[in-house]
């Protein structure tokens, strides 16, 4: 894990080994407590990566989401502090929820299929819902309602 420290004009690698392989992580979201969470993206990652800047450490959450290709491309923090990652491609069919307050992650039950390039990005709205516009092979906006 490369840490770039602009105030000190330096950069360095964190000591933890976060695995090998291609395309491990493609997005990060900063939780309300300052930790940074990255959902697994491709074959090089199967677990959520957590970076704790206050301790200069990183670790993996225990839940395993497999080694499939192109699982989660984006992530966004909702008003309640949970982080939502919509399924991107063939490696994922359900929304990934990261709960920093419990230091855990889980999948929502709704299945959106294993089609290619479904959902590319998402954003939290002021009412607590996250909106995911359709990408290449999706035709409808996905709404993630954090209140449920």
């Amino acid at each position: 894990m490369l840490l770039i420290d602009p105030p000190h004009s330096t950069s360095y690698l964190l000591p933890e080994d976060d695995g090998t392989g291609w395309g491990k992580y493609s997005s990060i979201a900063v939780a309300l407590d300052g930790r940074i969470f990255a959902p697994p993206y491709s074959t090089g990652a199967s677990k959520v990566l957590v970076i704790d800047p206050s301790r200069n450490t990183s670790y993996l959450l225990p839940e395993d989401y497999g080694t499939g290709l192109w699982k989660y491309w984006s992530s966004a923090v909702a008003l309640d502090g949970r982080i939502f990652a919509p399924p991107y491609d063939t490696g994922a069919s359900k929304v990934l929820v990261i709960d920093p307050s419990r230091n855990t992650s889980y999948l929502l039950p709704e299945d959106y299929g294993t089609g290619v390039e479904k959902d590319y990005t998402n954003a939290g709205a002021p009412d607590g819902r996250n909106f995911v516009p359709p990408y290449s092979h999706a035709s409808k906006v996905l709404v993630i309602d954090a209140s449920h």
Side-chain angles (χ1 to χ4, degrees), residues 25-26 28 45 79 84 94 105 108 133:
Y25 302 95
S26 69
I28 57 175
L79 289 179
F84 292 91
K94 298 180 178 186
S105 64
L108 293 181

Side-chain angles (χ1 to χ4, degrees), residues 1-3 15 17 23 35 38 40 42 48-50 67 74 84 93 99 109 117 120 125 129 135 142 147:
M1 177 70 50
L2 175 63
L3 178 74
D17 183 349
R35 289 180 297 156
S42 199
V48 173
L49 173 67
V50 183
T67 57
S74 72
F84 292 91
S93 63
D99 189 341
E117 297 180 340
Y120 185 74
R129 296 180 296 166
Y135 190 53
L142 170 62
S147 67

Side-chain angles (χ1 to χ4, degrees), residues 19-20 27-28 46 48 56 60 88 103 111 115 129 133 144-146:
T20 60
S27 80
I28 57 175
S46 62
V48 173
N56 278 343
L60 300 172
Y88 171 63
N103 211 38
D111 193 311
R129 296 180 296 166
I144 304 168
D145 191 342

Side-chain angles (χ1 to χ4, degrees), residues 41-89:
Y41 174 60
S42 199
T43 58
S46 62
K47 298 179 179 187
V48 173
L49 173 67
V50 183
I51 304 164
D52 188 340
S54 68
R55 296 186 175 145
N56 278 343
T57 61
S58 65
Y59 59 92
L60 300 172
L61 294 182
E63 299 81 21
D64 193 308
Y65 298 103
T67 57
L69 289 171
W70 308 305
K71 294 178 280 293
Y72 299 99
W73 181 270
S74 72
S75 55
V77 181
L79 289 179
D80 69 359
R82 290 182 293 168
I83 297 167
F84 292 91
Y88 171 63
D89 207 295

